[in-house]
Amino acid sequence: MTKAHWGENLEAQTCHAARMNGLRCAMAHSNDAKRTWRQDVCPRSTCKKLDGVPDIANLNIGRKRHVTKIIAGYKSLTDEGAVQDEWLQKTLPKMTKAMELWGALQRQTEVPDKVSKTLIKDASAFAKAAKTKDYTATLKAFDVYMADLPDNGPGGSGKIDLSDAMVPPPEDGK
């Protein structure tokens, strides 16, 4: 895509930027000759639901982007058996940010609600515990975060299966 196209098609640029950041496009698309939307930039299906509550598609994208980082960080922590300086510097910031973003996706209303705020606080508590280098406290903080993830919501289960990022754990817990 050329720079000239981006300059002429501000709506598509805005939609594309929103989609790349895991957000929905709030632009009204026009079909006139000057401003055409491109299917590969922002398909209209991504812009249909504009109420701000995540749906199945948002959670699927979130699982690919955020849950994989959470699982990788957890596995590297448990493989070491202790909170290492290298893990604190390289993995913790990415893992904490992924936990916050996944928690924010668990909202059930348009604005951050009790569920998402709790999960964001849990992610911060996890980071704080990890920075003390207390391995057991770090694992307990992670378990609190995992326990606070909702079983169901507008887009499906927010629970994380540590063996597979793309599916929630079975309902029977096995």
Side-chain angles (χ1 to χ4, degrees), residues 63 67 71 146 159-170:
R63 282 193 183 278
V67 174
I71 292 173
M146 295 291 281
K159 296 288 185 182
I160 297 174
D161 184 356
L162 294 173
S163 61
D164 186 1
M166 292 309 296
V167 295

Side-chain angles (χ1 to χ4, degrees), residues 77 83-84 87-89 91-100 119-135 137-145:
L77 175 66
V83 180
Q84 302 291 334
W87 184 87
L88 282 173
Q89 293 173 354
T91 309
L92 180 64
K94 293 176 185 176
M95 184 178 177
T96 304
K97 185 67 173 174
M99 290 171 70
E100 289 172 352
L119 291 168
I120 292 169
K121 286 180 183 177
D122 289 348
S124 297
F126 169 77
K128 188 175 181 180
K131 288 176 184 175
T132 65
K133 295 188 178 183
D134 184 353
Y135 182 70
T138 303
L139 291 181
K140 285 180 184 178
F142 185 78
D143 289 340
V144 168
Y145 177 84

